[in-house]
Amino acid sequence: MKLKKLMMAALTLMCSAAVMAQQPIPTDPEVRIGKLDNGLTYYIRHNAWPEQRAEFYIAQRVGAIQENDDQRGLAHFLEHMCFNGTEHFKGNDIVKWCETIGVKFGRDLNAYTSIDRTVYNISNVPTTREGIIDSCLLILHDWADGLLLEPEEIQKERGVIHEEWRMRTSAQMRMLERDLPKLYPGSKYGHRMPIGLMEIIDNFKPQVLRDYYEKWYRPDNQAVIVVGDFDVDKVEQKIKELFSPIKMPENPAPVVAEAVPDNAEAIYVIDKDKEMPYSIVSLMMKSEPIPEEIKGDVQYLFVEFMKDAAMGMLNDRLGELTKKPDCPFLQGTASYGQYLFSKTKDAFDLSALPKEGQTEAALKALVVEGRRAAEFGFTATEYQRYKQTFLSELEKDYSNKDKRYNNEFCKTYTEHFLEKDPIPAIDMYYQIMKQVVPMIPLEGINAMMKELMPANDSNLVVLNLNQEKEGAVYPTEEGLKKAIAEGRALQIEAYVDNVKNEPLIAQKPKAGKIVKEVAGKKFDYKELTLSNGATVILKKTDLKKDEVKLASEGFGGSSIYGEQDFANIKMFDDVIEASGLGNFSHTELEKAMAGKIAEAKFVLGTDRANITGSSTPNDVETLLQLVYLYFTNINKDQESFDNTMKTTELMLKNKSLEPQAVFSDSVTVTLSAHDKRQAPLNKDDLKQVNYDRILQMAKEQTSNAAAFTFTIIGNFDEATIRPLIEQYLGALPSQKNIVKGKDVNKRFSGEVKNNFTRKMETPKAISVMVWTNEKMDYTLDNIVRADMMGQILTMLYTEKIREEASAAYSVMALANIDRDDYRTEGRIFVVCPMKPEKGDVATKIMLDEVNNMVKSVDQEKLGKVKEYMLKHIDDQAKTNDYWIRQIGHLRDYGVDTHTDYKKTVEAQTPETIAAFAKELLKSGNRAEIIMMPAE
Ligand SMILES: [Zn+2]
């Protein structure tokens, strides 16, 4: 398909916009872009949200596709070597130095390698000292041109990457690896999975890696991107000084785009794997990507809008269709973008999760839906909804323009450098879209849709991945071909958009009153009591200009129900989510919400019922209406329920094929001492699920507003919200009697082991260890100490298990203090996917290091953890969720975990942490769950 032709066809339909379309998009004047003489590009921008923070990125225009055949996997290997010795940072010093400023490896200090790019970042850097900026730039410099690539460091990293490969290998990865040559005939894309070949990772000579580095990591392929709270002139000067001396190699090899040949005949790829839990089928229609030259013009913004509109409307249709009982698939999606992962070819992709044994029917249905959109177009009402939602989102983003985070800018500039994506100022983008979107005609989008869905086999690719099992019958190429032919031949009719044109709540309920108001003891909130007994906490913030958050909890929860309801409890959240509200079915409700940015959901906790939600300041009334409807009028939607049940059944039926899922269930069962109430849902449980009973339970949980506290935080207008609170929350039903939950959940105690083996396609081992103590105190000291203990353990494990023993790719420890109505529990949780041959070594280290903490704690590591926590708390305190939690702790348990936080962090010593560890381990509760591959 000729995309240029397509765009022109679409654009000529828009008279007034057509003039504008040819105009270039002006680049945001707030970003300083420059190019050094050696060819290196830089982007610098000042941004003061949050204050005293910055991000440092370096983007390399090269990745796995540049590898020679003997280098497969080395673009990614090189990425790892950036953290293992550079000119100015020997050994692990980059990681170690970053930790001293509270920047964590894996979290703030990270990188990724894909087919055609490698991008590194140092994030959430505190710019409190000038020296910190210098050092971060020096790290980028060393990545660009100062890697040591020492043979002994390379040797150590081979094992880590081998374990990364093991951890990431799943059924879908195995099949993709196998099938890529068929999906990309005649192209290098068929042989360049970034993880590479393990025989190369284990055996390559260091010079082969150095060759890749020297050939491709060079100034003309690199962009340095720095955004944050600093002086732009100074940073520019530093970049010039530091990066200008880097030399371009003589006769640099060109970065050539790897072509993806067209295919005249359809390509069919059918594969199967024993650990695949379900089947999927995709229909892909390849096309030329939008030429980079066009990306600088305003028309590109229109084309993007039109693409997104077409996909948005089509996805809504597919979602609606899955609710019909005769639909052959449980989920369906449409997308239009890169063909798999090649930027030189795009594809329009229709994919489905077929009902069991209905792969061919699902494929046929996808063809039919694609055709329905292509031949009849979308309707005016569908388009109206899409535009309303787009414009509401535009307003929302624009209103928050002063509170954008540094990483948003860095990511956009990375795309500008690598993909030539435009970077207009937000005011400019807002003005253009606000003016033009109402004028973009539906006919243009319908014309585009026609081009996207060709009626022949040219450039068609069908991918079908199946679950392999004994006696199964798999789709054949002939069968899939036939399904497509039938889909093409079928007589079809235009889509009919059924919309309910009525307000969410037809008649406003009888409003209540705010009968009492007191100021909160701390944190600047107000506590209102309504005439029905409900409590409302109000705290106004402008941390996000476009956000209002609502959290509510009421006494009750699943603990008041017995064994006959266990399955209903487990399906409760999903079933309520699938239901409608008021007079609207699930699908009708989604349509009725067009243009409104508000959402709410109902979650059943153990001893609380929770209804939570969020909206923009403009849509607060809608948010409160949704909450009101969850309390008073959940609409039974049988079709939507049936779809949810069938999807769940398919997922559960074959869950045991996935080793990871089996392990995760084993952890749950062991930690809950085989408690039926907490047991993972299984296929047989589904027979016990009863929709009417779930609706009745929902009614019971929401029968008494007096049992509820609603916390509303954000950028609302107080004068507006108070009458709305009286109108909707004040109108909720209430009664005298409050039913409280019970202490029902069982927990393991003492020493518990669950070690087992399992047959696997790729041998994997994984270990989880948990220590608990239910008799801890809920104090700020303990909360801080637990957090520190988990972080120090993670550092120790990373050093000893990953770096020294090469026994794992990642190990994570978390420790925390958790409080409910009945107890305060301290808990350490460690998870480690291991190399099977080194399982014993890894588990011994996991155990030993926890026990060692009772005796001594590393002062230096503690210092690093403190830096991180002191920085992190400032970032946290800039979110509304943080304040919901703080107010919750204060009101529920009388503990202020904010005011003295920093003081408490600073006061900790190796002795206080060791004493805490000793206290926690005193109970003797330890669980160990280990899965090893069977022979
Ligand atoms: Zn990696």
Side-chain angles (χ1 to χ4, degrees):
M1 178 196 41
K2 301 287 161 287
L3 224 127
K4 217 162 181 173
K5 191 186 89 191
L6 179 165
M7 291 190 319
M8 285 305 124
L11 287 167
T12 42
L13 293 161
M14 338 174 346
C15 321
S16 34
V19 186
M20 206 180 192
Q22 305 297 327
Q23 306 284 319
I25 304 169
T27 291
D28 189 347
E30 296 289 310
V31 53
R32 188 171 300 173
I33 306 176
K35 203 174 213 181
L36 303 178
D37 290 341
N38 59 15
L40 182 134
T41 308
Y42 61 81
Y43 298 75
I44 313 169
R45 182 194 181 103
H46 178 260
N47 180 47
W49 181 258
E51 65 271 12
Q52 296 199 323
R53 292 285 182 275
E55 307 267 307
F56 299 79
Y57 275 55
I58 184 164
Q60 315 275 352
R61 198 193 297 286
V62 290
I65 202 79
Q66 272 74 31
E67 293 162 355
N68 297 330
D69 286 341
D70 64 346
Q71 292 173 324
R72 289 178 63 182
L74 298 197
H76 171 242
F77 204 108
L78 188 62
E79 175 218 306
H80 277 235
M81 293 312 294
C82 284
F83 304 94
N84 288 302
T86 70
E87 192 182 335
H88 300 95
F89 298 85
K90 309 289 180 237
N92 257 333
D93 284 359
I94 288 183
V95 175
K96 286 188 192 151
W97 177 79
C98 282
E99 284 169 350
T100 66
I101 56 163
V103 167
K104 275 196 184 192
F105 183 49
R107 186 186 179 111
D108 300 320
L109 173 65
N110 217 333
Y112 66 90
T113 307
S114 67
I115 297 283
D116 47 29
R117 62 168 70 177
T118 314
V119 180
Y120 300 81
N121 67 291
I122 317 172
S123 297
N124 298 312
V125 173
T127 54
T128 38
R129 288 185 284 115
E130 184 102 8
I132 291 179
I133 296 177
D134 294 337
S135 300
C136 287
L137 289 174
L138 192 60
I139 293 173
L140 299 191
H141 165 272
D142 279 11
W143 285 340
D145 192 47
L147 293 196
L148 297 180
L149 304 178
E150 290 161 328
E152 57 276 22
E153 290 287 342
I154 291 175
Q155 193 56 32
K156 277 204 289 191
E157 204 60 22
R158 294 184 201 267
V160 173
I161 292 185
H162 204 114
E163 290 321 298
E164 184 179 357
W165 164 82
R166 189 190 310 281
M167 199 185 83
R168 293 191 196 282
T169 301
S170 60
Q172 292 212 36
M173 284 291 278
R174 276 190 294 273
M175 287 189 275
L176 197 58
E177 164 94 70
R178 236 180 354 243
D179 298 332
L180 277 183
K182 287 178 251 168
L183 293 164
Y184 282 111
S187 170
K188 236 173 150 183
Y189 280 110
H191 308 275
R192 288 297 179 274
M193 287 276 271
I195 195 73
L197 299 179
M198 287 309 107
E199 69 239 41
I200 290 181
I201 296 302
D202 295 343
N203 300 305
F204 72 87
K205 298 228 159 49
Q207 186 58 40
V208 184
L209 181 66
R210 181 167 288 283
D211 289 345
Y212 179 95
Y213 183 52
E214 281 167 6
K215 184 171 179 185
W216 299 115
Y217 274 41
R218 53 181 213 232
D220 64 334
N221 285 335
Q222 294 168 332
V224 168
I225 299 163
V226 191
V227 178
D229 194 4
F230 47 63
D231 180 334
V232 170
D233 292 330
K234 270 193 196 163
V235 169
E236 183 177 34
Q237 198 48 42
K238 287 173 204 274
I239 288 175
K240 284 181 175 166
E241 282 163 21
L242 204 52
F243 290 86
S244 291
I246 300 177
K247 297 247 175 327
M248 265 298 283
E250 305 267 322
N251 305 318
V255 172
V256 188
E258 175 70 21
V260 177
D262 288 333
N263 52 293
E265 302 286 312
I267 296 174
Y268 288 86
V269 176
I270 303 167
D271 204 350
K272 56 187 190 302
D273 188 284
K274 288 199 179 96
E275 291 174 9
M276 182 77 177
Y278 43 80
S279 300
I280 49 175
V281 64
S282 291
L283 178 73
M284 294 175 271
M285 289 144 278
K286 298 188 323 195
S287 58
E288 294 309 309
I290 294 176
E292 284 192 345
E293 310 88 77
I294 292 172
K295 289 188 169 181
D297 295 344
V298 170
Q299 58 174 315
Y300 176 69
L301 300 179
F302 304 164
V303 172
E304 284 296 295
F305 169 83
M306 291 163 66
K307 263 166 59 172
D308 292 346
M311 292 308 117
M313 291 186 280
L314 191 48
N315 274 310
D316 283 350
R317 283 189 184 182
L318 292 171
E320 184 175 358
L321 191 62
T322 56
K323 307 289 185 291
K324 305 257 163 67
D326 56 349
C327 179
F329 52 82
L330 293 162
Q331 284 165 24
T333 53
S335 64
Y336 177 22
Q338 282 191 349
Y339 169 58
L340 300 170
F341 36 65
S342 39
K343 65 182 197 181
T344 53
K345 197 69 94 183
D346 277 355
F348 168 45
D349 178 325
L350 289 165
S351 292
L353 176 73
K355 287 180 180 164
E356 226 182 359
Q358 297 200 47
T359 300
E360 292 85 351
L363 181 60
K364 177 177 163 185
L366 289 176
V367 173
V368 166
E369 286 317 305
R371 273 184 60 207
R372 204 186 309 279
E375 291 170 26
F376 300 97
F378 297 100
T379 64
T381 45
E382 287 175 287
Y383 188 41
Q384 188 55 28
R385 285 199 301 275
Y386 183 82
K387 282 196 289 193
Q388 280 175 346
T389 300
F390 180 91
L391 291 169
S392 299
E393 294 281 352
L394 185 71
E395 289 291 343
K396 173 181 185 299
D397 291 348
Y398 186 65
S399 71
N400 195 49
K401 65 176 183 157
D402 299 330
K403 299 269 163 95
R404 283 176 292 168
Y405 281 91
N406 295 327
N407 67 358
E408 283 177 45
F409 292 108
C410 290
K411 285 180 182 148
T412 328
Y413 302 155
T414 302
E415 297 311 314
H416 181 260
F417 175 67
L418 296 172
E419 307 287 340
K420 296 236 169 30
D421 284 359
I423 42 171
I426 192 166
D427 300 83
M428 174 69 69
Y429 179 75
Y430 174 77
Q431 294 303 340
I432 294 175
M433 297 314 277
K434 207 173 147 72
Q435 206 184 327
V436 171
V437 164
M439 297 191 300
I440 295 180
L442 177 58
E443 290 77 7
I445 294 165
N446 288 341
M448 171 187 261
M449 195 61 229
K450 245 190 187 85
E451 293 281 340
L452 281 180
M453 186 76 201
N456 57 47
D457 279 1
S458 142
N459 271 332
L460 188 74
V461 180
V462 179
L463 175 64
N464 167 226
L465 303 179
N466 297 287
Q467 183 222 321
E468 178 178 2
K469 65 176 172 198
E470 230 168 287
V473 182
Y474 309 103
T476 59
E477 187 171 324
E478 288 65 41
L480 297 180
K481 247 183 208 163
K482 188 163 156 265
I484 292 177
E486 284 174 6
R488 284 176 180 161
L490 199 73
Q491 276 277 2
I492 57 171
E493 285 167 10
Y495 169 80
V496 179
D497 190 21
N498 292 312
V499 202
K500 216 169 221 170
N501 275 318
E502 46 182 279
L504 268 186
I505 293 178
Q507 201 164 9
K508 285 195 176 164
K510 192 174 172 324
K513 278 267 163 253
I514 298 170
V515 292
K516 193 178 152 201
E517 176 170 346
V518 290
K521 281 174 266 171
K522 292 175 175 181
F523 307 150
D524 203 21
Y525 68 85
K526 290 172 184 160
E527 185 166 334
L528 316 178
T529 307
L530 307 185
S531 45
N532 57 1
T535 305
V536 179
I537 304 297
L538 268 186
K539 178 176 166 68
K540 161 113 180 149
T541 73
D542 70 346
L543 297 167
K544 269 190 112 227
K545 297 274 177 65
D546 56 351
E547 181 177 272
V548 175
K549 287 235 166 185
L550 180 146
S552 73
E553 52 170 37
F555 287 106
S558 63
S559 63
I560 64 175
Y561 305 114
E563 190 166 348
Q564 70 284 359
D565 278 320
F566 284 174
N568 292 325
I569 292 169
K570 286 165 200 171
M571 282 304 292
F572 184 93
D573 298 355
D574 288 347
V575 168
I576 295 299
E577 159 122 54
S579 300
L581 286 177
N583 289 333
F584 297 83
S585 71
H586 185 78
T587 300
E588 287 166 347
L589 181 66
E590 282 181 350
K591 291 182 180 178
M593 290 293 289
K596 302 256 194 308
I597 302 186
E599 56 181 18
K601 64 174 181 207
F602 190 164
V603 173
L604 188 62
T606 305
D607 49 19
R608 296 283 192 282
N610 302 91
I611 293 171
T612 58
S614 65
S615 73
T616 57
N618 280 339
D619 289 324
V620 161
E621 179 163 11
T622 307
L623 170 62
L624 292 171
Q625 287 178 337
L626 292 174
V627 172
Y628 176 80
L629 290 171
Y630 270 125
F631 268 84
T632 56
N633 197 357
I634 297 173
N635 185 332
K636 185 174 180 181
D637 184 338
Q638 190 65 42
E639 288 187 343
S640 181
F641 169 82
D642 291 342
N643 172 268
T644 301
M645 292 301 288
K646 284 208 185 88
T647 308
T648 310
E649 190 189 345
L650 184 73
M651 294 298 156
L652 292 177
K653 197 167 173 186
N654 299 309
K655 195 165 88 167
S656 63
L657 298 174
E658 285 180 294
Q660 187 59 48
V662 171
F663 182 72
S664 161
D665 282 357
S666 304
V667 171
T668 307
V669 167
T670 308
L671 297 184
S672 63
H674 299 263
D675 187 1
K676 273 197 194 159
R677 182 184 286 274
Q678 297 173 73
L681 188 71
N682 71 50
K683 185 173 64 78
D684 296 330
D685 295 334
L686 295 181
K687 295 187 206 95
Q688 316 296 322
V689 176
N690 181 318
Y691 195 4
D692 289 328
R693 172 65 183 150
I694 288 177
L695 291 173
Q696 188 198 340
M697 286 158 70
K699 231 186 178 87
E700 287 168 11
Q701 296 287 329
T702 52
S703 62
N704 188 4
F708 274 79
T709 300
F710 299 86
T711 305
I712 304 174
I713 291 187
N715 193 24
F716 52 76
D717 174 56
E718 189 157 347
T720 313
I721 205 170
R722 291 174 77 103
L724 293 174
I725 287 171
E726 293 183 321
Q727 175 68 74
Y728 297 107
L729 302 184
L732 298 175
S734 69
Q735 57 192 24
K736 278 245 153 55
N737 183 28
I738 291 179
V739 183
K740 290 207 176 185
K742 290 179 277 192
D743 184 15
V744 288
N745 282 345
K746 287 188 198 154
R747 297 160 158 72
F748 83 94
S749 64
E751 283 264 343
V752 179
K753 285 190 183 182
N754 180 2
N755 298 348
F756 61 97
T757 62
R758 211 190 141 73
K759 218 167 157 44
M760 297 177 216
E761 295 298 291
T762 302
K764 295 183 181 193
I766 181 162
S767 168
V768 158
M769 277 187 208
V770 180
W771 290 257
T772 62
N773 184 341
E774 292 180 24
K775 298 201 172 75
M776 304 291 286
D777 291 326
Y778 194 71
T779 60
L780 182 55
D781 267 321
N782 276 351
I783 291 167
V784 163
R785 287 167 189 166
D787 193 354
M788 288 177 160
M789 188 176 175
Q791 294 186 58
I792 293 170
L793 278 171
T794 302
M795 286 171 151
L796 284 164
Y797 291 146
T798 305
E799 257 173 48
K800 301 200 169 179
I801 299 178
R802 172 175 156 137
E803 304 296 337
E804 287 170 23
S806 291
Y809 167 68
S810 71
V811 200
M812 196 192 56
L814 276 175
N816 66 316
I817 297 284
D818 204 16
R819 160 118 202 218
D820 62 20
D821 289 347
Y822 318 105
R823 67 179 66 70
T824 297
E825 185 187 77
R827 171 184 281 244
I828 309 168
F829 183 97
V830 187
V831 55
C832 180
M834 317 175 288
K835 184 182 176 78
E837 296 79 6
K838 293 189 177 176
D840 291 346
V841 182
T843 45
K844 184 169 184 312
I845 299 172
M846 286 164 80
L847 189 55
D848 287 352
E849 291 308 322
V850 168
N851 290 326
N852 284 343
M853 284 198 95
V854 173
K855 287 169 248 156
S856 72
V857 171
D858 185 303
Q859 173 87 51
E860 194 192 335
K861 288 194 173 57
L862 176 60
K864 289 174 173 179
V865 166
K866 283 185 184 179
E867 278 307 315
Y868 172 76
M869 290 168 79
L870 293 173
K871 177 182 72 108
H872 189 58
I873 195 69
D874 284 337
D875 294 340
Q876 285 287 297
K878 289 192 168 63
T879 64
N880 289 321
D881 285 334
Y882 173 85
W883 291 106
I884 291 178
R885 287 197 303 274
Q886 295 308 320
I887 294 172
H889 296 165
L890 185 68
R891 293 187 70 260
D892 292 350
Y893 308 120
V895 179
D896 173 356
T897 50
H898 173 76
T899 309
D900 290 332
Y901 184 85
K902 287 188 173 180
K903 214 160 64 188
T904 308
V905 167
E906 276 159 358
Q908 302 310 317
T909 63
E911 291 71 34
T912 62
I913 305 300
F916 172 83
K918 192 172 176 183
E919 175 74 21
L920 201 157
L921 295 187
K922 208 166 67 182
S923 69
N925 295 339
R926 186 179 78 91
E928 175 185 300
I929 304 102
I930 300 177
M931 178 175 71
M932 297 291 282
E935 292 304 310

